[in-house]
């Protein structure tokens, strides 16, 4: 079945530590890939996106993500987490054969310890 | 640019009542989406419009949910009658429908509580 999987429901890291949030997809073709962040009471904000080309993409707020075709993964990383990064993070895909149709993972809630 | 506007921000109703949500997308964005986000889950697409036409409403519970986008700009989503399981955040998003999958721009959502 087609799906977007974020295996970690909650993650807690200390401020200043590095972060990696996992995302795996299961689709026949390579989809277009996105990471969104949602702060409490807010809508989702785009962090970064991957369409093609360089598999390491840079986003806003110091985030980056790496597309690994062999692992069907698009993990989000940040070298040093700030307290303001505490939020929920969603991986999303859009399929090449589906006009602007997006599918979201279930999200990973990030808690940052001082 | 102004973002996606949604109202109201919060709504509390009793089951079997009706409710309506409003969305004004970013100017020039022809594609508009309504998503339902249940607590602890990712957004689930309810309906997608391209201008004033429906592109996908396969996951819209049509016995109780309806949506329209009459002039290809603003949109309303209605629930009638509401059930307890409709408690969720309803997110509106818009995008430019170009070929390189324009990302979604979200509003802040309407939090619905059905009691």
């Amino acid at each position: 079945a087609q799906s977007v999987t974020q295996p970690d429901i909650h993650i807690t890291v200390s401020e200043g530590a590095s972060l990696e949030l996992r995302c795996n997809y299961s689709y026949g073709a390579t989809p277009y890939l996105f990471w969104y962040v949602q702060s409490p009471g807010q809508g989702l904000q785009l962090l970064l996106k991957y369409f093609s080309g360089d598999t390491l993409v840079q986003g806003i707020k110091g985030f980056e993500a790496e597309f690994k075709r062999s692992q069907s993964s698009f993990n989000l990383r940040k070298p040093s987490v700030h307290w303001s990064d505490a939020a929920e993070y969603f991986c999303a895909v859009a399929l090449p054969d589906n006009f602007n149709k997006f599918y979201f993972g279930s999200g990973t809630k990030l808690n940052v310890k001082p | 640019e102004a973002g996606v506007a949604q109202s109201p921000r919060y709504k509390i109703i009793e089951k079997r009542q009706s409710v309506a949500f409003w969305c004004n997308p970013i100017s020039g964005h022809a594609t508009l989406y309504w998503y339902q986000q249940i607590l602890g889950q990712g957004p689930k697409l309810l309906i997608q419009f391209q201008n004033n036409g429906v592109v996908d409403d396969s996951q819209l519970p049509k016995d109780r949910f309806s949506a329209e986008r009459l002039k290809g700009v603003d949109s309303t989503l209605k629930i009638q009658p509401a059930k307890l399981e409709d408690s969720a955040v309803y997110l509106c998003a818009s995008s430019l429908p170009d070929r390189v999958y324009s990302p979604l721009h979200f509003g802040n959502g309407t939090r619905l509580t059905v009691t």
Side-chain angles (χ1 to χ4, degrees), chain B residues 8-23:
Chain B
R9 286 300 309 274
Y10 305 94
K11 191 73 177 178
I12 301 174
I13 61 172
E14 296 181 351
K15 60 183 178 183
R16 292 187 289 274
Q17 288 187 323
S18 62
V19 65
F21 312 129
W22 174 81
C23 173

Side-chain angles (χ1 to χ4, degrees), chain A residues 30-34 49-54 57 94 102, chain B residues 100-103:
Chain A
T30 299
Y32 300 103
L33 298 156
F34 306 82
K49 59 190 177 186
Y50 172 78
F51 294 148
S52 63
D54 191 347
V57 294
F102 293 77
Chain B
V100 188
Y101 287 88
S102 175

Side-chain angles (χ1 to χ4, degrees), chain A residues 36-74:
Chain A
Y36 283 83
V37 60
Q38 186 178 34
S39 298
Q42 304 294 315
L44 282 73
Q45 180 186 20
L46 179 69
L47 283 176
L48 46 77
K49 59 190 177 186
Y50 172 78
F51 294 148
S52 63
D54 191 347
T55 56
L56 185 63
V57 294
Q58 303 296 320
I60 63 171
K61 305 184 181 186
F63 285 91
E64 65 180 25
E66 185 172 14
F67 169 59
K68 292 186 178 179
R69 186 188 306 274
S70 61
Q71 299 177 19
S72 297
S73 69
F74 188 56

Side-chain angles (χ1 to χ4, degrees), chain A residues 32 34 36 38 41-46 49 51 88 90 94-107 109, chain B residues 9 31 33 35 37 40-43 45 48 50 55-56 58 91 95-104 106-108:
Chain A
Y32 300 103
F34 306 82
Y36 283 83
Q38 186 178 34
Q42 304 294 315
L44 282 73
Q45 180 186 20
L46 179 69
K49 59 190 177 186
F51 294 148
E88 190 155 20
F90 293 92
L95 301 181
D97 60 348
N98 244 328
F99 186 78
N100 281 341
K101 189 169 182 178
F102 293 77
Y103 298 88
F104 285 84
S106 55
K109 187 165 287 187
Chain B
R9 286 300 309 274
T31 309
Y33 309 76
Y35 282 87
Q37 186 178 19
Q41 299 181 18
L45 179 68
Q48 177 184 348
Q50 176 71 13
V55 173
D56 183 352
S58 57
L91 294 165
S95 71
L96 290 167
D98 61 23
R99 294 180 63 186
V100 188
Y101 287 88
S102 175
L104 301 177
F106 283 88
N108 287 333

